[in-house]
Amino acid sequence: MIQFISHYNERYTYLDSIRLALDGGCKWIQLRMKKKSPEEIMPIALEAQQMCREAGATFIIDDHVALVKEIHADGVHLGKNDMPIQDARELLGPDYIIGGTANTFEDLLAHYKAGANYIGCGPYRFTTTKENLSPILGVEGYKNIIEQMKRHSISIPIVAIGGITIEDIPDIMQTGISGIALSGTILRADDPIKTMQEIIDITQKYKK
Amino acid sequence: MVVIINNKNTETAASNLQELSVELNLPEKGVAIAINNQMVPRADWSKTAIQEMNDIIIIKAACGG
């Protein structure tokens, strides 16, 4: 299960990046445009949402709860400095997916109790995409969190995030993590569409 | 038949994802399903067969899972 997080570089715009991910077969897109206002994000979000609908992909937006509700996106992803999950749930009601970023089992437990539907857990390793970095987790960090979830009888899908490359994916999936969130790995690839296809193949072949 | 839904063994009579979504009373919106780590668009649920011990992840907009 792959979530693509939009980004831009000298080659691609936000929408280009989403188009590449969808063309590579990705069915879960997060539009993240840090430091942009809802007014700036709205037109891009509407276009991205249309692209996702046509491709049958789930479309969520980072941070902007009101915008998600206004354009009827599928859900919102909330980072550590965004709106608390219970507040977002109150605003959105039961019909939207809410994801939360967690760095530790304690974060995860809090998000789970607050009504999150999935967890973005990381960072796996150091990455320049995200500022305000938390301590890196690595494979051992994920094993540890999965172990504690079992101990507390908690089940919630977890997506690993943060500087993950193709080579890392088998080891991460081995821990019991449900999916992988990617951004830079796709955009920096020589052929982003082919790279996305390869990554989806790898996760699909993987069985617990 | 037993399938694994969000890491839990679950008994189901469904033969495809559409039937499973009915069986589980999944809402019309705010649901994403992956089968063996591959996300399946809602439009393809009815033609996506499920088999014994398939690994299914349901991300839905209701607490828990």
Side-chain angles (χ1 to χ4, degrees):
Chain A
M1 199 168 64
I2 300 294
Q3 182 188 97
F4 177 74
I5 301 175
S6 73
H7 205 52
Y8 67 94
N9 60 18
E10 61 287 349
R11 282 197 293 174
Y12 306 116
T13 66
Y14 285 107
L15 285 172
D16 290 341
S17 76
I18 291 170
R19 169 52 58 207
L20 292 165
L22 292 171
D23 286 352
C26 184
K27 297 294 179 196
W28 191 8
I29 303 291
Q30 179 191 147
L31 178 66
R32 180 160 74 192
M33 296 174 66
K34 280 290 175 206
K35 296 177 183 164
K36 300 279 189 210
S37 69
E39 291 72 30
E40 290 173 288
I41 298 172
M42 170 98 98
I44 293 172
L46 283 168
E47 203 167 327
Q49 178 164 262
Q50 185 57 34
M51 285 156 57
C52 288
R53 294 260 156 90
E54 282 163 13
T58 299
F59 177 64
I60 62 173
I61 302 173
D62 179 64
D63 186 4
H64 296 279
V65 177
L67 180 61
V68 164
K69 192 167 185 181
E70 192 172 341
I71 71 167
H72 300 286
D74 293 310
V76 67
H77 186 93
L78 298 169
K80 282 191 148 177
N81 302 315
D82 300 336
M83 182 188 285
I85 286 170
Q86 53 267 46
D87 296 358
R89 180 60 77 202
E90 264 176 46
L91 283 169
L92 291 174
D95 294 340
Y96 290 84
I97 293 169
I98 299 179
T101 299
N103 181 240
T104 63
F105 176 72
E106 285 68 33
D107 295 342
L108 182 148
L109 187 62
H111 291 342
Y112 176 81
K113 286 180 175 164
N117 306 117
Y118 79 91
I119 302 292
C121 192
Y124 173 72
R125 72 155 61 85
F126 178 78
T127 160
T128 50
T129 310
K130 231 178 165 184
E131 292 157 31
N132 307 322
L133 265 188
S134 305
I136 62 164
L137 285 170
V139 168
E140 286 306 313
Y142 290 124
K143 277 187 193 161
N144 194 353
I145 284 171
I146 296 281
E147 190 51 47
Q148 294 196 66
M149 279 172 65
K150 281 184 187 150
R151 218 178 298 147
H152 288 78
S153 300
I154 288 173
S155 179
I156 184 167
I158 297 183
V159 175
I161 181 166
I164 295 166
T165 64
I166 295 190
E167 293 75 30
D168 302 322
I169 291 173
D171 284 346
I172 294 172
M173 295 301 288
Q174 209 77 247
T175 64
I177 290 287
S178 321
I180 308 282
L182 295 167
S183 183
T185 293
I186 302 297
L187 290 196
R188 281 192 299 270
D190 293 334
D191 186 339
I193 295 174
K194 193 160 151 269
T195 302
M196 178 59 86
Q197 287 165 340
E198 281 170 13
I199 287 171
I200 288 171
D201 280 350
I202 291 169
T203 56
Q204 218 173 342
K205 269 180 219 141
Y206 182 83
K207 294 251 172 73
K208 267 173 225 162
Chain B
M1 162 170 74
V2 175
V3 294
I4 304 165
I5 298 178
N6 294 0
N7 290 321
K8 279 181 199 150
N9 286 12
T10 308
E11 181 68 38
T12 177
S15 63
N16 61 48
L17 288 183
Q18 180 59 36
E19 290 175 19
L20 185 70
S21 77
V22 172
E23 199 178 274
L24 297 175
N25 289 317
L26 296 182
E28 293 293 310
K29 231 187 95 52
V31 182
I33 301 184
I35 180 162
N36 296 334
N37 295 315
Q38 173 73 22
M39 276 242 183
V40 182
R42 187 182 281 269
D44 294 342
W45 286 2
S46 59
K47 60 184 177 198
T48 304
I50 53 178
Q51 287 162 7
E52 185 82 26
M53 294 313 274
N54 270 171
D55 190 7
I56 297 169
I57 295 165
I58 299 175
I59 296 171
K60 69 174 191 291
C63 190

